[in-house]
Amino acid sequence: MALTGLHSAPCIPLACGHRLRSRSLPLQMLHASRTRVYSRSRRLHVVQAAASGFSSDDPYKVLGLREGADSESVQRQYNKLKREKKGDESAISAIENAHSSLMMRNLTMRMQGGVSVAKDIKYADKAQYLPWRPRLFRADNKVLLYSGIAQALLTAWALLLSVTAGTQPVIASAVVGGVGNVYKINQIFPPSSSSTASEEEKRKGLRNILRGCLLAFLATFAGCFLFFTLPDLVASKINKQLPYWFYANEKVLLCVGTTLCNLLMTAFFR
């Protein structure tokens, strides 16, 4: 009996302890499993919230575009806003999300046949005549304002000081037009100043400068030709004599034509 008691006394707590541990172990595992599931679901919720935090905003409003703007307008506005918001991480993040959202939307619609592709893109593999020709593009209000003021001052210079001004306003108008063109083209195709940029990206700035100067040259030539050379040529072909004031104010006419054509070129072409 004593031996039996000795054996039965420790066995009962051992068995009870075993039973208690066997019951508490599943409870602990269940609690840990619930904790992991909760943590995983919480992380997933945070990730989804971060990824869709922008989705509640209209990407067109974020980029300042009208509804249904084409891909070229989206890309142009995206580059412009990134330059303006440089250093503002939250704004840059919203701009990146809006740009990605619209580009993916346009890509999906294009694959479904819901978006028409511009000829320049559709036939990009085919040669184009005069690839450097001016193309329609309206400058922003700031470029329009500054260009208009500068060209108006040059016109006033030629009109009020025609005796001493000579052809200097014509040259100044070409320079102002070239600067405005380069500034506008850099907004559309921003050059890269990064040390890791490719050679193609580094040459983009030089191409922008050359194109801006070319546009200014074409505008200056058009202004001189349309306002003085062409009327004189037509008059000589039909044996007509133009009024005396036309020849007396040759430099003024050249300046007015140059300033007007350079302003139009900067405002509406790229």
Side-chain angles (χ1 to χ4, degrees):
M1 288 295 291
L3 184 60
T4 305
L6 290 174
H7 286 287
S8 60
C11 288
I12 294 173
L14 180 63
C16 292
H18 177 72
R19 285 196 298 271
L20 288 174
R21 284 195 298 272
S22 64
R23 291 178 181 177
S24 62
L25 184 59
L27 292 176
Q28 293 174 355
M29 293 177 61
L30 179 61
H31 177 70
S33 176
R34 288 178 177 176
T35 303
R36 286 195 298 271
V37 170
Y38 174 76
S39 300
R40 190 180 301 111
S41 64
R42 184 177 181 180
R43 287 197 302 269
L44 180 60
H45 176 73
V46 170
V47 171
Q48 290 176 344
S52 61
F54 164 77
S55 61
S56 60
D57 299 330
D58 185 356
Y60 289 107
K61 292 182 179 179
V62 173
L63 295 180
L65 294 170
R66 60 175 177 78
E67 185 77 22
D70 56 19
S71 299
E72 184 178 355
S73 300
V74 171
Q75 186 65 32
R76 186 167 58 245
Q77 186 71 0
Y78 165 72
N79 293 332
K80 176 184 175 183
L81 291 178
K82 281 193 69 176
R83 288 192 304 272
E84 293 178 352
K85 303 297 182 180
K86 187 176 181 179
D88 189 344
E89 295 299 331
S90 60
I92 292 294
S93 177
I95 293 168
E96 293 279 0
N97 290 334
H99 175 259
S100 301
S101 176
L102 291 180
M103 296 304 286
M104 289 301 297
R105 184 184 303 179
N106 289 341
L107 177 61
T108 302
M109 294 178 63
R110 183 176 298 173
M111 293 176 65
Q112 296 174 352
V115 174
S116 59
V117 182
K119 291 183 179 179
D120 293 344
I121 300 175
K122 188 174 183 179
Y123 301 106
D125 57 330
K126 298 184 179 181
Q128 296 180 350
Y129 295 105
L130 301 174
W132 277 68
R133 70 187 184 277
R135 302 185 184 185
L136 286 174
F137 177 83
R138 184 185 181 279
D140 58 29
N141 294 332
K142 183 170 66 174
V143 174
L144 290 176
L145 177 62
Y146 291 155
S147 297
I149 292 175
Q151 299 295 354
L153 291 175
L154 293 175
T155 303
W157 179 20
L159 292 173
L160 300 176
L161 302 172
S162 59
V163 177
T164 58
T167 58
Q168 295 180 68
V170 175
I171 300 173
S173 175
V175 173
V176 170
V179 172
N181 293 331
V182 172
Y183 178 81
K184 181 178 64 176
I185 295 173
N186 281 338
Q187 287 186 317
I188 307 171
F189 308 106
S192 176
S193 58
S194 174
S195 58
T196 59
S198 63
E199 290 298 326
E200 182 68 19
E201 293 176 340
K202 291 179 180 178
R203 287 196 295 266
K204 187 182 295 183
L206 178 60
R207 288 200 302 268
N208 291 349
I209 294 174
L210 292 176
R211 182 167 182 82
C213 294
L214 174 64
L215 294 177
F217 171 78
L218 292 176
T220 303
F221 175 81
C224 295
F225 181 77
L226 293 175
F227 278 71
F228 187 83
T229 305
L230 182 61
D232 183 50
L233 180 63
V234 171
S236 63
K237 290 295 184 181
I238 62 175
N239 296 321
K240 294 291 185 179
Q241 184 69 30
L242 293 174
Y244 171 77
W245 65 263
F246 179 83
Y247 296 101
N249 295 284
E250 174 184 357
K251 293 182 176 61
V252 174
L253 292 173
L254 292 176
C255 180
V256 171
T258 301
T259 54
L260 180 60
C261 289
N262 270 297
L263 178 60
L264 293 176
M265 183 70 76
T266 303
F268 300 109
F269 293 92
R270 64 172 177 85

